Amino acid sequence: MTLTGCAYDNVEELAGPKVPCTTPEQVSYSLNVSPVLDRNCRSCHASVLRSGNFNMDDMNELQIRARSGLLMHVVNHDPGYPQMPQGGAKLSDCDIALLQKWVDAGAPNN
């Protein structure tokens, strides 16, 4: 009996071409950022459940963490910072780029 299989030297061959990420010219908290946080963060970090003593429903608290750099360190899985979402997959490159653009704009409540 002969066993055969296929092998890929490169994961991209298996996954297909990478779709480029585009972010809006101006990132809106309500239209762009809040939905990312809803999908990935607020199940643990909200007014009802404040894991890590962090409530993302509180805009002032969120802006402080965004402007200090902490938000991007944890979502980028930078060394020395907890990886968020904890126990979950890292955010997509597009979601991270969107958050970074919002932070770079000063984390406005727009």
Side-chain angles (χ1 to χ4, degrees):
M1 185 191 275
T2 304
L3 296 176
T4 62
C6 65
Y8 289 89
D9 292 332
N10 192 332
V11 144
E12 286 77 24
E13 289 179 40
L14 184 59
K18 189 172 182 178
V19 176
C21 178
T22 58
T23 58
E25 185 67 31
Q26 185 171 14
V27 176
S28 162
Y29 173 77
S30 59
L31 294 176
N32 308 115
V33 174
S34 189
V36 171
L37 302 179
D38 286 343
R39 284 191 310 272
N40 299 286
C41 310
R42 287 198 174 111
S43 61
C44 295
H45 300 288
S47 56
V48 175
L49 182 63
R50 291 178 56 110
S51 294
N53 200 29
F54 180 28
N55 175 10
M56 285 192 165
D57 290 338
D58 181 333
M59 177 55 82
N60 185 52
E61 195 172 339
L62 178 59
Q63 287 174 319
I64 288 169
R65 295 197 186 212
R67 291 172 182 159
S68 73
L70 182 59
L71 177 66
M72 295 314 300
H73 284 302
V74 299
V75 299
N76 280 316
H77 293 187
D78 290 341
Y81 294 90
Q83 296 180 354
M84 295 293 154
Q86 188 174 38
K90 185 176 177 181
L91 299 182
S92 72
D93 291 344
C94 288
D95 283 347
I96 291 173
L98 192 65
L99 291 174
Q100 186 65 63
K101 194 167 188 177
W102 176 69
V103 170
D104 290 346
N109 184 6
N110 55 355

